[in-house]
Amino acid sequence: MVCKLSQRLLIIGLGFTGLILLISGILLGPLVNMEVEQKLKKMMPLVKGTKTYNYWINPPIPIDFQLYFFHVVNPEEIVQNGAKPVLEEKGPYTYRLIDTKENLTHHKNFTVSYNERNVYVFQRHLSVGDENDTFTSLNLPLITATTLVTYEYAFIREMAKLFFDISQDADLFVKHSVKDLLWGYTDPLLATVKQLLHVFDIPFNDRFGFFYQLNNSIANNYTVYTGEDNLDKISQFTQWDGKSKLTFWSSDTCNMINGTDGNIFHPHIKDTDQLYLFYPQICRSYMISFEKKGEFKGVRYSRFIMKDDVFASIKTNPENAGFCTPRNKCLPSGLINNTECRKGTPVIISQPHFLGADQSVIDSFDGIRPNKDLHETYIDLVPLIGNLVRTQRTIQINMFVEKSMYISQTKNINYFYFPVMYIKEKASLTDSLAAQFRDELQNPLLIVFYAKYCCIGIGIVLLLLVAGYCSRIKIKAFKHEKKTKSAILDATVNEHTKLLKNEKN
């Protein structure tokens, strides 16, 4: 009797425990989600005192700014015979990019304005050579000058032609160092123009460089959402240089300023989300889409990539019609005319090595070898908080070169979208940051995740055991009752049979 009572108490205890575990497992998810939401609201907004704000002002993730140049192997053959250009990639030449935000002003509409300071520090140990390494490339000031003159009045064009004819500095290809091309050099052609304009007291800068006067300088003014009222809008641009929309493109949609700078996104990112980035250097926004999941230094991420259709022709992607400038003058797939953004310099933007571009563009050169792994743009994000794990952002700068009445050395050339260099901006979590993220967020959430399903699983198992035991007891009792009834029935029948026999006797 005592044994049966103990069994009953044990079964009741197991059943109660299973029920508690099941309910706890079911409630654990929503309770943890509520706690996570509260922490995100405290941690993420771009306001003083939050961890994200401090990271945003002074990013702790080191950024490698890598440059690869295209050395022209056969400049004489191109000029004399119109030969196919043979290119040789030289790089990387790596700089550590220190990106900080200054002059911050918070507004009542949950936005913050700021200026960005970029400092570039050369990293010899991460480069193939020194900044003084030289290579042969296009005469960029010459190409730019002749392009700008093309749209001037007839008498100015005639004067320009005379000037270029007598100029000794009108070679189509010239040799320069990495340092010169990036940070600026005194160009002989521009120096001659400066001397001529000096007669009329017209100021003119005779220095040229892709990043001339940009090192350790204050960049444009930006305004972004802080996310205080809505974390879905955190870090999204609202204005660039005081303007809420662009003027470089031929449609309202393409002139929209969409997305973030690519360092912070909204929390709870799904694989189906289309994320937008605004890239001031090319004066446009573009979309990135989910590709795959992975793990880096123990941190789980979702990878979003810039697909080929971002720069695709209107035949492939009709929405790109607005990026055709002038209007309805569209380039082959994979190329975007960036001339308006560059104030008249005939810059054509593409992915490195013309990745995703029309095959005819790739075949125009020897030495062009597009490679998805090396040349694509991707961003690895933590879906829960939208923070960066690893990124590779790439862009190639090309110049449009065609036969020009101002440059005699183009007489044997039809036209080219000539590659000059490409930029690869890389950043990733350091070991210490990855460990901090795992310890403070990822691992605790994983423990809760597994604990939730363990509770549910164990709870269900215990309830099934109790249900099985109860069923067994019920079946046993049923069989006993049936056996008892059968015995009674047999006894009754036997008794009745005896009575009948007695009556006959």
Side-chain angles (χ1 to χ4, degrees), residues 139 142 164-165 167-172 189 406-409:
N139 188 336
L142 176 65
F164 287 123
D165 285 342
S167 175
Q168 301 297 314
D169 306 302
D171 290 333
L172 184 60
L189 180 65
Y406 307 108
I407 310 174
S408 60
Q409 291 188 2

Side-chain angles (χ1 to χ4, degrees), residues 391-409:
T391 182
Q392 174 177 286
R393 282 181 273 189
T394 63
I395 206 74
Q396 180 168 299
I397 297 174
N398 314 281
M399 297 287 282
F400 181 61
V401 182
E402 61 181 341
K403 190 176 296 184
S404 171
M405 61 181 287
Y406 307 108
I407 310 174
S408 60
Q409 291 188 2

Side-chain angles (χ1 to χ4, degrees), residues 229-504:
D229 62 328
N230 184 354
L231 284 178
D232 287 341
K233 298 192 297 183
I234 186 171
S235 191
Q236 290 187 11
F237 285 100
T238 63
Q239 289 188 347
W240 177 42
D241 246 7
K243 299 175 183 177
S244 58
K245 64 178 182 179
L246 307 173
T247 57
F248 307 106
W249 312 108
S250 56
S251 75
D252 292 337
T253 301
C254 293
N255 276 318
M256 294 175 65
I257 300 176
N258 292 325
T260 74
D261 63 358
N263 294 320
I264 299 176
F265 291 88
H266 62 79
H268 304 300
I269 294 173
K270 300 185 289 292
D271 296 348
T272 54
D273 287 347
Q274 304 290 342
L275 305 179
Y276 283 88
L277 288 81
F278 177 60
Y279 200 164
Q281 287 75 11
I282 62 173
C283 304
R284 63 163 289 183
S285 299
Y286 62 88
M287 182 177 67
I288 55 175
S289 307
F290 174 78
E291 184 192 40
K292 64 180 181 180
K293 293 185 180 293
E295 188 174 296
F296 177 73
K297 295 184 178 180
V299 178
R300 299 180 179 183
Y301 65 78
S302 293
R303 172 165 291 186
F304 285 75
I305 64 170
M306 185 180 78
K307 293 185 176 180
D308 291 343
D309 61 0
V310 171
F311 287 170
S313 68
I314 59 174
K315 292 181 180 178
T316 304
N317 185 3
E319 294 182 2
N320 280 345
F323 291 114
C324 295
T325 55
R327 185 183 294 272
N328 299 325
K329 189 174 181 180
C330 302
L331 301 181
S333 199
L335 306 177
I336 295 292
N337 189 348
N338 216 227
T339 303
E340 289 294 321
C341 174
R342 295 288 174 171
K343 300 179 180 179
T345 302
V347 171
I348 307 298
I349 296 298
S350 71
Q351 295 188 80
H353 282 259
F354 297 118
L355 177 67
D358 191 274
Q359 192 61 42
S360 63
V361 177
I362 297 173
D363 293 341
S364 300
F365 305 90
D366 281 339
I368 294 297
R369 301 178 183 88
N371 182 305
K372 182 178 183 295
D373 293 333
L374 295 176
H375 303 140
E376 76 171 347
T377 288
Y378 65 79
I379 297 181
D380 296 338
L381 301 166
V382 179
L384 176 63
I385 58 176
N387 276 18
L388 188 72
V389 174
R390 180 173 54 180
T391 182
Q392 174 177 286
R393 282 181 273 189
T394 63
I395 206 74
Q396 180 168 299
I397 297 174
N398 314 281
M399 297 287 282
F400 181 61
V401 182
E402 61 181 341
K403 190 176 296 184
S404 171
M405 61 181 287
Y406 307 108
I407 310 174
S408 60
Q409 291 188 2
T410 62
K411 63 182 180 181
N412 295 319
I413 294 175
N414 186 10
Y415 68 88
F416 289 113
Y417 303 104
F418 211 103
V420 177
M421 69 176 184
Y422 70 88
I423 300 168
K424 184 184 291 186
E425 192 175 310
K426 301 178 69 174
S428 61
L429 286 177
T430 61
D431 292 342
S432 60
L433 286 173
Q436 180 182 348
F437 175 80
R438 293 194 307 269
D439 295 341
E440 294 182 3
L441 186 62
Q442 180 173 280
N443 291 345
L445 287 177
L446 284 175
I447 291 172
V448 170
F449 176 82
Y450 291 124
K452 167 186 172 181
Y453 287 102
C454 282
C455 288
I456 293 174
I458 294 172
I460 290 174
V461 169
L462 290 177
L463 290 175
L464 287 175
L465 287 173
V466 170
Y469 179 82
C470 292
S471 298
R472 182 186 171 195
I473 296 298
K474 189 173 182 180
I475 292 171
K476 189 175 180 180
F478 175 75
K479 287 181 177 179
H480 178 73
E481 183 181 354
K482 185 177 180 182
K483 186 177 180 180
T484 302
K485 288 181 179 179
S486 178
I488 294 171
L489 180 61
D490 290 342
T492 303
V493 170
N494 289 336
E495 185 67 26
H496 184 66
T497 301
K498 288 180 180 181
L499 290 173
L500 289 175
K501 285 182 178 180
N502 292 335
E503 286 179 1
K504 288 181 179 180

